[in-house]
Amino acid sequence: MAESMSLLWGSGSGPCWRVMLALEEKNLQGYRQKQISFEKNEQKSQEVLEINPRGQVPAFKHGDIILNQSTGVCLYLENQFKSQGTKLIPDDPANQAMMYQRMIEGLGLTEKIDWVVYYEFLVPEGERLEAGLQRHRDALTTELKLWEGYLENVAEGSYLAGPYSLADVVGFPNAAFAFAFGLSPERYPKLAKYYNLLKDRPTIKASWPPKWFESEQGFQALKDI
């Protein structure tokens, strides 16, 4: 079945990692894939645009079906392959509701991290303001404190919504991304504990973006958050 799937992806992209992680969790290895280069602006290439007119990755196909929104791909894979691999949507109503809640909230966290890490890329040089960057830094700080509070109430050995789920497929890349860019584990101990709980999971290690292995010391954009 995986042979009928294809994925264009970029290393270091949280949305791409979600899709690759979901594919691992559903035992769908062997799909066709191609890594594009953000440095060469290949996300705007004709190859990508033919699948995703927004010029963004991931760009995913299953036969003639096209999906480009990462959480949409994850939901699609879980619903199409429910009996295969890891069950990613809990049956218990309370856990299922929490899974959807944390999954969607995780998208907001991704956006807030990106605005700080990629501020100079997202905002044209003539429009950049220190006060503007500080607003994004403050918004990220507030968001991270919320997640610290959420994780305070997670039972020992549990994940964002009880059992491992799509909430973690979305949420773990956020945590890994934040710490790769210098987030302090001492300042955010619950998030660090969650990261350490999952970082050696085989599916996570198998899908880990190779670009991050090249920069194990990380960057420093979030060191003062």
Side-chain angles (χ1 to χ4, degrees), residues 53-132:
R54 293 182 182 274
Q56 298 171 342
V57 288
F60 175 79
K61 289 185 71 177
H62 180 200
D64 294 329
I65 296 169
I66 291 176
L67 273 167
N68 297 313
Q69 207 287 330
S70 60
T71 48
V73 179
C74 294
L75 287 164
Y76 173 81
L77 292 172
E78 173 60 19
N79 281 294
Q80 292 300 309
F81 303 96
K82 289 180 180 178
S83 62
Q84 184 168 315
T86 307
K87 185 178 180 63
L88 294 173
I89 298 179
D91 289 327
D92 176 74
N95 285 339
Q96 187 177 121
M98 183 62 73
M99 182 278 294
Y100 282 116
Q101 178 71 29
R102 295 291 180 257
M103 180 180 70
I104 300 303
E105 283 188 290
L107 303 180
L109 177 56
T110 303
E111 183 178 14
K112 288 180 172 66
I113 292 172
D114 285 350
W115 268 111
V116 175
V117 170
Y118 297 124
Y119 181 77
E120 292 188 1
F121 176 78
L122 294 169
V123 180
E125 184 175 2
E127 299 175 20
R128 295 173 199 158
L129 297 171
E130 185 59 35

Side-chain angles (χ1 to χ4, degrees), residues 147-162:
W147 286 90
E148 277 289 294
Y150 295 156
L151 289 163
E152 183 75 42
N153 298 315
V154 171
E156 188 71 27
S158 292
Y159 306 101
L160 287 175

